[in-house]
């Protein structure tokens, strides 16, 4: 029995082979032989010993090592203890079944929910090993996992909790050389999709940066009109890339125009008093500011300038500005703009005193009513003209700042030449009038799943959660603790004592808690009528605008996280889309919801693959477009199809006989010997032609000559020599109308037509003579023939 066990251990040693190169960094805890000359690492026998010890924990078995003879090279000889035959047999049976059914998976990062769900379905993991000191730290949102999402040490800790007896670890080593059929990674560049086979499944699409980066979403949503009739300004705050000069100029114009509309709104709100909580907050903010001692502000001039700018904007929308020439002066010069903005800063930002403006309210309100019909974002703009600046290369709220002065924004962007060169800076209009919960700002994290790009197939998750800031909302400060709701930022801050007690200490709510809040304010129905449909439309439109930029691959899926803010009217506004959203259980809310969304993702991409009626959890199919046929690639064997070009016309035959005369056709050749000459015409015809030409050149058309007695004229045919061109046909005034053909030889046609051209006939009235004048060919000119009837 002891011999059988030893033989089984020897076979397991050959099967396991723990001396892989990728494990050298993780197995340095074994000391090398002092006389062997090795500087690090462990021998294969020592690694096998470690595995055996792990597999026999609790069995009280010890190791026996043999001592090398003197003068011999030190080698490690291990008397292997017996492996548990039942455990090894079970592992091999499970592995054989998984390999046979193509159920080998690999997970990168601490995703215990994914591992547990796949193992419950009979899958076996092939672990991805990397040296700890070469681990690349990444972040979970936008393809970058959070700091605790990377590293083999984290994977090892997770596996120790899920695999106390080492069975899964043993199975993982048994499938080390098998093909992986399912990849789940936290970084898009961890797997090259071009190297995957058709049946392999992965959780990342290539080129998702077209909508998961701030600059990509900013640019591509402008093309939405080519894919759908929706207007991106109705769900996405207007956005510009300041590194592009044309967009930088567009942003400056937008900022100036927004300053004008904000000033008009300031006048209306100031004179009409408190109108709701949103206006009340603005009025209280203005009253809190100290009154500045500054130069007087010309209120009437400011309002006139603002009205002129708004009027010009309305005319441009109606395309009434296309008749203006380049010399037309601008509405405001640069000096006038500088004066207007400085006065605007003093009045709106600084709280400077202004004269009574009651008589201006009517015209300001009338202009705002015209603007609200064409500007969907007028209500969310507020009066402070605040913009949020985002470095597109960063995530988790890092580097994001808010500013409300034009010079500050441009100076902030110009200070980083690297981001300017890479076109990473993005400036977006800040929502100054968001919906507040107990006076605190929040945003919504919503998941959605894309399982195919052709046809585009989108799944929307029914559950979401809210993230609150730690400070009450206020426009007096632009600090990140007030205006950014990212959990990676707020979790390091202490909640303010002035914040409402109804906001939890972990700064998160589930969607059920938010619906309860809406119900207490009589707006529970708005969640299903306004919020959810608006988020679905925004997600679908963002994907439509970037569909042609994505690389569609079957057996690929990806889970995304969308961030929304709600306006005071509960309309959702898309802020950004994130790839690889974090699944870390940071709070009790995320611990429950992130677990559920991972399990439901596998239900959609795996269970539904085998059974179309399978349960998909809280995922709801919201969009599936018709498939677009992709032409099959045929390689370099190209084929051009066409038809033969026919001769466009025929050369007419000259006849001098009457209608009763028989028709004779002669063949016209393209090339004839130069020695041949054209046969002369009868003298009667030449004399008649000369007379007609003299009358035409003098401008007087004489009546036709009286008919002469019929004289028999012999029928003559002659070929026309090329090159020649019939340029015109002159008819006398008394001639009867009849059909006339114009023919002009083109050199390029002769390449296609046959050598012989069949002539076409010209019908003429009986009794009229046909004269022909032949002009010899001149140098570099085509011979010309003139026909007159």
């Amino acid at each position: 029995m002891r011999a059988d066990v030893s033989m089984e251990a020897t076979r397991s040693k050959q099967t396991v082979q723990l001396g892989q190169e990728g494990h050298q960094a993780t197995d340095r805890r074994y000391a090398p032989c002092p006389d062997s000359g090795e500087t690090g690492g462990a021998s294969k026998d020592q690694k096998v010993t470690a595995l055996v010890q792990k597999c026999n924990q609790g069995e009280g078995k010890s190791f026996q090592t043999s001592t090398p003879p003197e003068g011999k090279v030190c080698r490690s000889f291990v008397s292997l203890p017996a492996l548990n035959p039942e455990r090894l047999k079970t592992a091999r049976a499970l592995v054989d079944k998984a390999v046979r059914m193509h159920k080998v998976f690999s997970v990168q990062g601490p995703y215990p929910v994914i591992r547990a769900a796949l193992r419950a379905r009979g899958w076996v993991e092939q672990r991805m090993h990397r040296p700890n000191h070469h681990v690349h730290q990444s972040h979970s949102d936008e393809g970058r996992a959070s700091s605790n999402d990377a590293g083999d040490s984290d994977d090892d800790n997770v596996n120790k909790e899920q695999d106390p007896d080492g069975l899964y670890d043993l199975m993982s080593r048994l499938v080390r050389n098998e093909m992986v059929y399912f990849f789940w990674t936290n970084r898009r560049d961890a797997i090259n999709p071009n190297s995957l086979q058709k049946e392999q499944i992965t959780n990342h699409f290539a080129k998702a940066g077209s909508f998961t980066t701030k600059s990509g979403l900013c640019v591509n949503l402008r093309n939405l009109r080519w894919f759908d009739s929706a207007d991106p300004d109705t769900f996405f705050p207007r956005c510009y890339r300041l590194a592009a000069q044309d967009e930088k100029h567009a942003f400056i114009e937008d900022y100036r125009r927004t300053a004008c509309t904000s000033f008009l709104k300031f006048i209306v709100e100031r004179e009409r008093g408190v109108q709701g909580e949103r206006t009340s907050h603005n009025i209280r903010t203005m009253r809190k500011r100290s009154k500045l001692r500054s130069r007087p502000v010309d209120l009437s001039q400011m309002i006139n300038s603002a009205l002129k700018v708004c009027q010009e904007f309305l005319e441009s929308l109606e395309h009434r500005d296309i008749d203006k020439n380049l010399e037309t002066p601008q509405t405001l010069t640069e000096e006038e703009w500088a004066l207007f903005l400085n006065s605007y800063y003093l009045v709106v930002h600084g709280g400077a005193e202004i004269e009574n403006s009651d008589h201006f309210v009517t015209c300001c309100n009338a202009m705002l009513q015209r603007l609200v019909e064409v500007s969907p974002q007028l209500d969310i703009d507020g009066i402070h003209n605040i913009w949020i600046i985002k470095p597109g290369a960063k995530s988790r709220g890092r580097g994001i700042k808010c500013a409300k002065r034009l010079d500050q924004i441009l100076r902030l962007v110009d200070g980083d030449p690297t981001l300017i060169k890479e076109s990473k800076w993005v400036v977006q209009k800040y929502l100054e009038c968001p919906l507040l919960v107990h006076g605190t700002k929040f945003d919504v994290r919503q998941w959605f799943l894309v399982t195919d790009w052709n046809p585009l197939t989108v799944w929307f998750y029914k559950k979401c959660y809210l993230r609150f800031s730690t400070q009450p909302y206020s426009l007096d400060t632009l600090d990140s603790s007030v205006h950014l709701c990212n959990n990676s930022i707020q979790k390091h801050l202490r909640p303010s004592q002035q914040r409402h007690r109804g906001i939890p200490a972990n700064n998160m709510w589930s969607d059920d808690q938010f619906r309860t809040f809406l119900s207490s304010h009589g707006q529970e129905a708005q969640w299903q009528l306004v919020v959810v449909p608006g988020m679905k439309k925004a997600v679908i439109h963002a994907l439509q605008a970037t569909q042609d930029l994505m690389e569609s691959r079957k057996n690929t899926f990806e889970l995304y996280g969308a961030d929304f803010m709600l306006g005071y009217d509960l309309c959702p506004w898309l802020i950004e889309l994130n790839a690889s959203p974090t699944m870390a259980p940071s709070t009790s809310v995320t611990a429950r919801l992130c677990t559920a969304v991972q399990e439901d993702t596998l239900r959609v991409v795996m269970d539904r693959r085998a059974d179309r009626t399978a349960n998909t959890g809280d995922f709801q199919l919201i969009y599936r477009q018709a498939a677009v046929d992709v032409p099959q690639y045929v390689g370099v064997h190209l084929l051009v199809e066409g038809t033969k070009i026919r001769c466009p016309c025929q050369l007419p035959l000259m006849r001098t006989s009457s209608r009763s005369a028989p028709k004779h056709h002669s063949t016209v050749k393209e090339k004839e010997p130069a020695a041949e000459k054209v046969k002369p015409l009868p003298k009667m015809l030449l004399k008649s032609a000369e007379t007609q030409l003299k009358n035409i050149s003098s401008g007087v058309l004489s009546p036709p000559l009286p008919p002469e007695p019929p004289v028999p004229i012999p029928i003559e045919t002659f070929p026309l020599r090329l090159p020649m061109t019939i340029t015109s046909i002159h008819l006398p005034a008394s001639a009867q109308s009849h059909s006339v053909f114009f023919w002009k030889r083109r050199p390029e046609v002769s390449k296609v037509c046959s050598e012989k051209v069949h002539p076409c006939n010209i019908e003429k009235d009986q009794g009229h003579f046909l004269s022909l004048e032949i002009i010899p060919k001149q140098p570099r000119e085509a011979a010309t023939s003139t026909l007159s009837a």
Side-chain angles (χ1 to χ4, degrees):
M1 179 65 183
R2 189 70 176 178
D4 295 338
V5 172
S6 299
M7 294 176 62
E8 184 68 18
T10 302
R11 288 194 299 268
S12 66
K13 172 186 174 182
Q14 298 174 353
T15 304
V16 174
Q17 291 183 357
L18 289 178
Q20 301 180 59
E21 295 179 1
H23 299 223
Q24 293 178 0
T26 59
D27 293 328
R28 296 185 185 276
R29 59 182 178 274
Y30 304 108
C33 179
D35 299 331
S36 62
E38 298 177 358
T39 58
S43 64
K44 295 183 179 180
D45 294 338
Q46 289 174 330
K47 295 176 182 179
V48 174
T49 302
L51 176 63
V52 174
Q53 185 180 16
K54 182 186 292 186
C55 295
N56 292 277
Q57 290 179 356
E59 297 182 7
K61 298 185 179 181
S62 59
F63 298 94
Q64 297 177 358
T65 58
S66 58
T67 304
E70 296 182 0
K72 300 287 186 179
V73 178
C74 179
R75 297 180 182 273
S76 298
F77 296 94
V78 181
S79 299
L80 296 176
L83 288 173
N84 189 329
E86 294 297 330
R87 182 181 303 158
L88 183 60
K89 182 179 179 180
T90 301
R92 285 181 173 175
L94 294 176
V95 166
D96 292 342
K97 182 178 179 181
V99 172
R100 186 170 58 254
M101 299 182 65
H102 295 178
K103 289 187 175 182
V104 180
F105 74 94
S106 180
V107 174
Q108 179 195 66
Y111 293 99
V113 176
I114 298 297
R115 286 187 171 93
L118 291 174
R119 288 168 178 171
R121 290 170 169 82
W123 288 69
V124 177
E125 180 181 7
Q126 183 185 100
R127 295 180 59 187
M128 300 178 65
H129 295 278
R130 293 177 301 165
N132 288 337
H133 59 281
H134 292 302
V135 171
H136 173 69
Q137 297 295 334
S138 55
H139 308 289
S140 57
D141 285 344
E142 299 186 5
R144 296 171 287 273
S146 58
S147 58
N148 61 349
D149 283 357
D152 288 335
S153 59
D154 294 336
D155 295 351
D156 293 339
N157 294 333
V158 171
N159 281 325
K160 288 179 181 178
E161 296 177 0
Q162 296 182 344
D163 187 22
D165 58 353
L167 178 62
Y168 292 133
D169 183 72
L170 179 60
M171 295 169 60
S172 175
R173 299 178 187 277
L174 292 176
V175 296
R176 68 194 181 280
N177 295 325
E178 300 295 336
M179 177 184 290
V180 176
Y181 290 92
F182 183 90
F183 290 96
W184 183 292
T185 65
N186 55 5
R187 293 188 300 114
R188 179 172 290 104
D189 56 353
I191 300 295
N192 183 10
N194 296 327
S195 64
L196 297 179
Q197 297 188 14
K198 182 179 180 180
E199 61 271 19
Q200 291 179 296
I201 305 173
T202 182
N203 70 321
H204 288 296
F205 287 101
K207 297 184 179 180
S210 57
F211 67 94
T212 58
T213 59
K214 300 175 182 63
S215 58
L217 187 64
C218 170
V219 173
N220 292 310
L221 270 180
R222 300 171 188 168
N223 301 323
L224 179 60
R225 64 176 63 90
W226 304 109
F227 303 92
D228 206 312
S229 58
D231 183 7
D233 287 343
T234 59
F235 63 88
F236 183 69
R238 55 194 185 276
C239 185
Y240 302 93
R241 296 178 303 162
L242 294 185
Q245 289 300 320
D246 56 340
E247 295 190 33
K248 182 178 180 180
H249 293 312
F251 161 69
I252 294 176
E253 293 180 1
D254 194 339
Y255 181 91
R256 291 172 173 176
R257 184 172 60 252
T258 305
C260 295
T261 58
S262 299
F263 185 73
L264 297 180
K265 293 166 67 176
F266 172 84
I267 297 299
V268 173
E269 292 181 3
R270 177 178 179 272
E271 296 300 328
R272 291 195 173 181
V274 178
Q275 297 180 2
E277 179 183 358
R278 177 170 60 97
T279 305
S280 175
H281 173 76
N282 292 334
I283 296 299
R284 290 197 304 268
T285 301
M286 289 184 287
R287 290 175 179 174
K288 287 181 181 179
R289 294 195 180 97
S290 60
K291 307 305 178 183
L292 299 180
R293 301 292 182 181
S294 60
R295 58 177 175 78
V297 176
D298 190 348
L299 182 61
S300 61
Q301 180 63 31
M302 289 188 63
I303 293 179
N304 288 334
S305 299
L307 292 175
K308 288 171 59 179
V309 172
C310 294
Q311 179 64 29
E312 183 183 21
F313 172 68
L314 292 175
E315 292 179 356
S316 66
L317 295 179
E318 298 175 358
H319 305 290
R320 286 191 289 173
D321 58 338
I322 60 177
D323 296 331
K324 296 181 180 180
N325 53 32
L326 298 178
E327 289 76 16
T328 302
Q330 297 181 353
T331 305
L332 297 179
T333 63
E334 292 297 326
E335 292 77 10
E336 291 174 338
W337 270 121
L339 178 61
F340 176 85
L341 291 179
N342 289 332
S343 301
Y344 167 77
Y345 297 149
L346 289 174
V347 174
V348 179
H349 297 168
E353 288 285 358
I354 59 175
E355 61 189 38
N356 189 7
S357 58
D358 291 342
H359 53 286
F360 292 112
V361 173
T362 302
C363 58
C364 293
N365 188 60
M367 178 58 69
L368 292 175
Q369 293 298 325
R370 296 177 59 189
L371 289 173
V372 75
E373 298 177 358
V374 296
S375 301
Q377 300 182 16
L378 186 64
D379 290 338
I380 66 172
D381 283 346
I383 64 175
H384 295 84
N385 204 5
I386 300 176
W387 293 74
I388 185 167
I389 301 96
K390 306 176 182 180
K394 298 181 180 180
S395 63
R396 300 182 298 156
R398 296 174 299 167
I400 296 180
K401 297 180 180 180
C402 295
K404 52 187 175 183
R405 292 179 62 99
L406 180 60
D407 54 349
Q408 292 177 353
I409 298 174
L410 298 179
R411 191 184 313 116
L412 178 64
V413 175
D414 294 337
D416 195 334
T418 303
L419 295 179
I420 285 293
K421 182 179 179 181
E422 298 177 359
S423 301
K424 295 298 184 181
W425 278 113
V426 168
V427 60
Q428 189 173 34
K429 186 64 185 72
Y430 184 72
L431 274 71
E432 299 183 25
C433 306
L435 179 68
L436 304 178
V437 173
H438 300 310
T440 307
K441 180 185 174 182
F442 68 93
D443 65 6
V444 180
R445 167 56 64 91
Q446 176 66 57
W447 292 292
F448 65 96
L449 178 68
V450 177
T451 55
D452 201 347
W453 284 95
N454 183 25
L456 180 59
T457 308
V458 187
W459 298 78
F460 189 85
Y461 204 63
K462 299 179 182 179
K463 300 292 183 180
C464 60
Y465 65 94
L466 278 64
R467 304 178 298 188
F468 292 94
S469 61
T470 55
Q471 307 294 325
Y473 184 72
S474 173
L475 295 179
D476 294 335
T477 177
L478 300 181
D479 190 78
S480 300
S481 60
V482 178
H483 301 283
L484 298 184
C485 301
N486 302 68
N487 183 64
S488 57
I489 294 177
Q490 299 295 341
K491 68 181 180 181
H492 299 294
L493 303 175
R494 180 176 299 178
S496 173
Q497 297 295 330
Q498 287 75 29
R499 195 178 68 168
H500 195 276
R501 302 302 178 186
I503 306 299
N506 59 12
N507 304 320
M508 285 191 184
W509 264 7
S510 65
D511 59 321
D512 295 332
Q513 292 173 294
F514 181 62
R515 291 188 337 196
T516 302
F517 170 79
L518 294 178
S519 178
S520 64
H521 290 75
Q523 295 181 314
E524 182 180 8
Q526 297 298 101
W527 176 260
Q528 293 295 339
L529 295 178
V530 179
V531 180
V532 174
M535 291 192 296
K536 291 179 180 179
K537 291 181 180 179
V539 167
I540 293 174
H541 292 329
L543 299 179
Q544 284 178 326
T546 57
Q547 182 180 6
D548 59 337
L549 302 177
M550 297 294 298
E551 290 186 0
S552 179
R553 179 187 179 275
K554 301 301 180 182
N555 288 334
T556 306
F557 67 96
E558 190 158 8
L559 180 67
Y560 301 99
D563 293 340
F564 289 93
M565 286 185 60
L566 303 183
Y568 69 93
D569 55 355
L570 286 176
C571 290
W573 292 89
L574 177 63
I575 304 302
E576 62 182 14
L577 299 176
N578 301 299
S580 297
T582 178
M583 292 295 159
S586 55
T587 65
S588 59
V589 175
T590 55
R592 175 173 53 86
L593 293 180
C594 291
T595 299
V597 72
Q598 292 177 81
E599 293 176 346
D600 293 343
T601 299
L602 294 181
R603 290 190 176 100
V604 174
V605 301
M606 285 195 168
D607 298 349
R608 193 173 179 274
R609 181 187 301 270
D611 181 10
R612 288 293 179 180
T613 62
N615 179 26
T616 58
D618 285 324
F619 271 113
Q620 176 188 6
L621 181 63
I622 61 171
Y623 187 77
R624 181 181 174 85
Q625 68 178 182
V628 179
D629 294 334
V630 178
Q632 185 178 4
Y633 177 68
V634 296
V636 297
H637 301 288
L638 302 179
L639 178 63
V640 178
E641 295 182 356
T643 58
K644 182 180 178 181
I645 301 178
R646 298 181 179 180
C647 184
C649 61
Q650 298 174 347
L651 184 64
L653 175 66
M654 303 306 170
R655 297 188 292 110
T656 58
S657 61
S658 62
R659 291 184 181 179
S660 60
K663 297 181 180 180
H664 297 270
H665 300 276
S666 62
T667 302
V668 179
K669 298 183 180 179
E670 289 188 359
K671 295 183 179 180
E672 292 290 339
E676 295 184 5
K677 297 182 180 180
V678 181
K679 296 181 179 181
L681 294 177
K683 295 182 179 180
M684 182 184 301
L685 295 179
L686 292 176
K687 182 176 181 181
S688 175
E690 291 177 359
T691 304
Q692 295 293 337
L693 289 175
K694 290 180 180 180
N695 294 334
I696 294 174
S697 60
S698 62
V700 178
L701 296 178
S702 59
L705 298 174
E708 298 180 358
V711 179
I713 301 175
I715 299 174
E716 258 186 299
T717 61
F718 58 92
L720 295 179
R721 303 293 186 262
L722 299 179
M724 63 176 292
T725 303
I726 298 177
T727 58
S728 61
I729 297 178
H730 303 277
L731 299 177
S734 61
Q736 300 294 328
S737 62
H738 55 276
S739 59
V740 180
F741 295 87
F742 296 90
W743 180 85
K744 182 176 182 180
R745 180 179 181 274
R746 294 184 300 176
E748 63 272 16
V749 177
S750 62
K751 299 180 182 179
V752 182
C753 301
S754 59
E755 295 183 356
K756 297 183 179 181
V757 180
H758 299 286
C760 55
N761 298 327
I762 298 180
E763 296 182 0
K764 60 181 182 298
D765 293 337
Q766 186 175 5
H768 291 274
F769 296 96
L770 180 66
S771 63
L772 176 66
E773 180 178 358
I774 304 299
I775 301 175
K777 179 180 178 182
Q778 301 297 331
R780 297 188 180 183
E781 295 180 358
T784 306
S785 300
T786 305
L787 295 177
S788 58

